Amino acid sequence: MRKPITDQDRDQVRRLHAEGKSRNAIARAIGRSGSTVSKIAGEFDPPLSFERGPEVVAATDARRIDLAARRAQFAERLHESAERLHEQLFAPCVVGAFGGKDNLWSEQPLDRPQFADQRQILAAVSTAVDKSLKLAPAEGGQGAEDVRSMLGTLGEVLADAFADDEGADDGG
């Protein structure tokens, strides 16, 4: 059998709601189900609401902004890693390998990495830069594409005008 709703339950719901508690937090505090708390809240005039839309939107926006800042920081670190890797392309290095009949370790200093190693370094640099740009696109974005398009059109117009001028000289 259900426990009847008392005036004490109503008072507690009103007080805890005024403190900003959620429906489920109130239910735990008064030892009732969430549906009972909703029923009590609906009996008030005006009814108490547990709508948290604005708070959820604000929290979601804050989280999105925090993640954007973290992506930008990580993109910067990726770019710095790419720069450090790039410095290795032509830097002196030491290569080592096991070999010989006794399978002993030997090392050889080189003026720069071997070609295969340079190719792997360049691939790693390219990947790091590409990923950093996806996390935090370079300045310019879509506007830069508009400028390139405008400059291309301007170049075509100037080339056509120059071609027309040359044709006029031939006929005069």
Side-chain angles (χ1 to χ4, degrees), residues 22-97:
S22 70
R23 183 193 75 151
N24 291 342
I26 293 171
R28 283 189 298 275
I30 68 171
R32 294 296 202 135
S33 69
S35 61
T36 300
V37 171
S38 292
K39 182 177 179 181
I40 294 169
E43 292 173 354
F44 290 109
D45 187 26
L48 303 178
S49 171
F50 295 102
E51 189 67 35
R52 294 181 46 212
E55 290 122 358
V56 171
V57 169
T60 301
D61 286 345
R63 177 76 174 145
R64 186 177 39 79
I65 291 167
D66 289 346
L67 288 174
R70 288 177 62 195
R71 279 192 306 274
Q73 289 171 346
F74 189 67
E76 187 174 337
R77 290 197 330 255
L78 269 175
H79 196 82
E80 290 168 357
S81 295
E83 289 172 348
R84 285 193 305 275
L85 280 169
H86 190 268
E87 290 171 3
Q88 295 177 18
L89 274 175
F90 300 100
C93 65
V94 175
V95 294

Side-chain angles (χ1 to χ4, degrees), residues 71-72 74-75 78 126-138:
R71 279 192 306 274
F74 189 67
L78 269 175
S126 176
T127 299
V129 169
D130 182 50
K131 298 304 179 190
S132 75
L133 289 173
K134 286 186 189 230
L135 289 170

Side-chain angles (χ1 to χ4, degrees), residues 77-159:
R77 290 197 330 255
L78 269 175
H79 196 82
E80 290 168 357
S81 295
E83 289 172 348
R84 285 193 305 275
L85 280 169
H86 190 268
E87 290 171 3
Q88 295 177 18
L89 274 175
F90 300 100
C93 65
V94 175
V95 294
F98 287 100
K101 66 177 184 170
D102 295 328
N103 202 28
L104 297 175
W105 180 258
S106 66
E107 294 181 347
Q108 180 67 40
L110 299 175
D111 292 336
R112 63 177 183 233
Q114 297 172 336
F115 178 76
D117 295 330
Q118 286 179 318
R119 189 172 47 202
Q120 288 179 345
I121 291 169
L122 277 176
V125 167
S126 176
T127 299
V129 169
D130 182 50
K131 298 304 179 190
S132 75
L133 289 173
K134 286 186 189 230
L135 289 170
E139 295 294 325
Q142 292 176 332
E145 184 58 39
D146 292 342
V147 169
R148 281 192 287 275
S149 176
M150 181 186 70
L151 289 175
T153 303
L154 179 62
E156 291 172 10
V157 168
L158 290 174

